Amino acid sequence: EMGQELLASLHGQIEALLRQQGMSKGKLSDRIAALRADPAQSYPATEAGAAEALAEATRMIEEMRARLPSMFGTLPRNDVVVRRIPPATEQGAAGGFYDLGSIDGTRPGTFYMNLAPGRQPERFGLPTLVYHEAIPGHHMHASIQQESNLPLIRKTLWFGAFNEGWAHYAEQIADEMGVYEANPLGRLGYLSGALFRAMRLVVDTGLHAGGWSRDEAIAFVVEKTFVDKAEATSEVDRYCVLPGQACSYMLGRETINAARRRARSALGDRFDIRIFHDLILGRGSIPMYQLSAN
C-alpha cells in the first residue's frame, strides 16, 4: 500500500515536471523513453565521454561538499573520489557502488561508476547517483561510522535498511538543498530513482507474499517505471533471489523521515536539522526498529 501511494504521487510529480519543460504530448512512458533515447542525455561511448562523466561527477561532489554544512554539523574527515569500474568487470557490475576508504585517511572512499557502453548513466540521472553513492550518501554515513568513537563491532555493522535507506534519504536531502533549481531534468533523475524504489515495495511483496508470478512482476515494473523488458527482467530476478532487500531503500528512507517528523513536532522552533542528522549518523548503522523507537 505504501508503494502504491508513493507511485501515484511520484507519477504526478514527474508529469508536472515534464509539462513545465514543455513535454506534455503523448503518454508519460513515451515521453520518458524519448528523453532517455535523446543523444543529448547520453555520454559518448568513448574514452572522452567516460572522462567527461568522471569529471562531471567530481564537480558535483565538490559542489555538494560546499553545501553540507547547511545540513550537517559532523562531516567525514576522509575524502571521496570517483573512479571508473575496471573494463574487465564492468559488464557484470552495477551502475555504481561505493567502497569505504581507510580509517587513517591514506586511502579515500571511492565511488565506482560504470561507464561501459550502454551502461553509463544518463546525464539527468548522474546527480542522484553521485549523491546516493558519495555525499551525502554512502560515503557520509560509512565514513562517519568508521571515524566515530563507537566500539569496533559497531563500526563494522551493516543493516541494509539503514545504509540503503540513508543513501536514498540523501537523494532527498540533495533535492531539499536546491541542487536542481537550475537543473530541472536532474530532478527528474531524482524522481525516477524514487519511483524505482517505490515500485520495489509493491513487486517484492507481490512476489514473496502476494503470489505474483515472475511475468506479472516484470509487466508491473515496465508499466510503472518505464524501463524496457530486459531491465525489468533483471530487476525482478534480483528480487526473486534476495527477498526483502529491494524494500530496504524506501522503507529506510521513510523511517528516517518519520523520525524527523516526530523530532520536529516535539521540538518545534528548537528543531535543528544539523543536530538531527548528526544524531542519526553518530550511532552508526542500526536496525530500523531502534531508530523508530527513539
Side-chain angles (χ1 to χ4, degrees), residues 22-105:
M23 293 178 277
S24 59
K25 296 181 179 179
K27 296 192 300 183
L28 185 57
S29 58
D30 293 339
R31 282 175 280 160
I32 295 293
L35 187 63
R36 286 176 172 156
D38 183 352
Q41 289 299 326
S42 299
Y43 292 98
T46 61
E47 288 303 312
E52 181 186 2
L54 290 170
E56 281 287 288
T58 299
R59 177 186 62 78
M60 292 172 191
I61 288 173
E62 292 305 313
E63 291 178 352
M64 175 54 68
R65 184 176 284 114
R67 292 177 181 263
L68 290 180
S70 68
M71 287 281 194
F72 300 91
T74 301
L75 302 177
R77 295 192 295 272
N78 206 0
D79 198 7
V80 58
V81 297
V82 187
R83 297 282 185 267
R84 179 176 183 171
I85 294 175
T89 59
E90 63 188 4
Q91 287 296 338
F97 61 87
Y98 171 76
D99 185 37
L100 181 63
S102 61
I103 195 167
D104 62 2

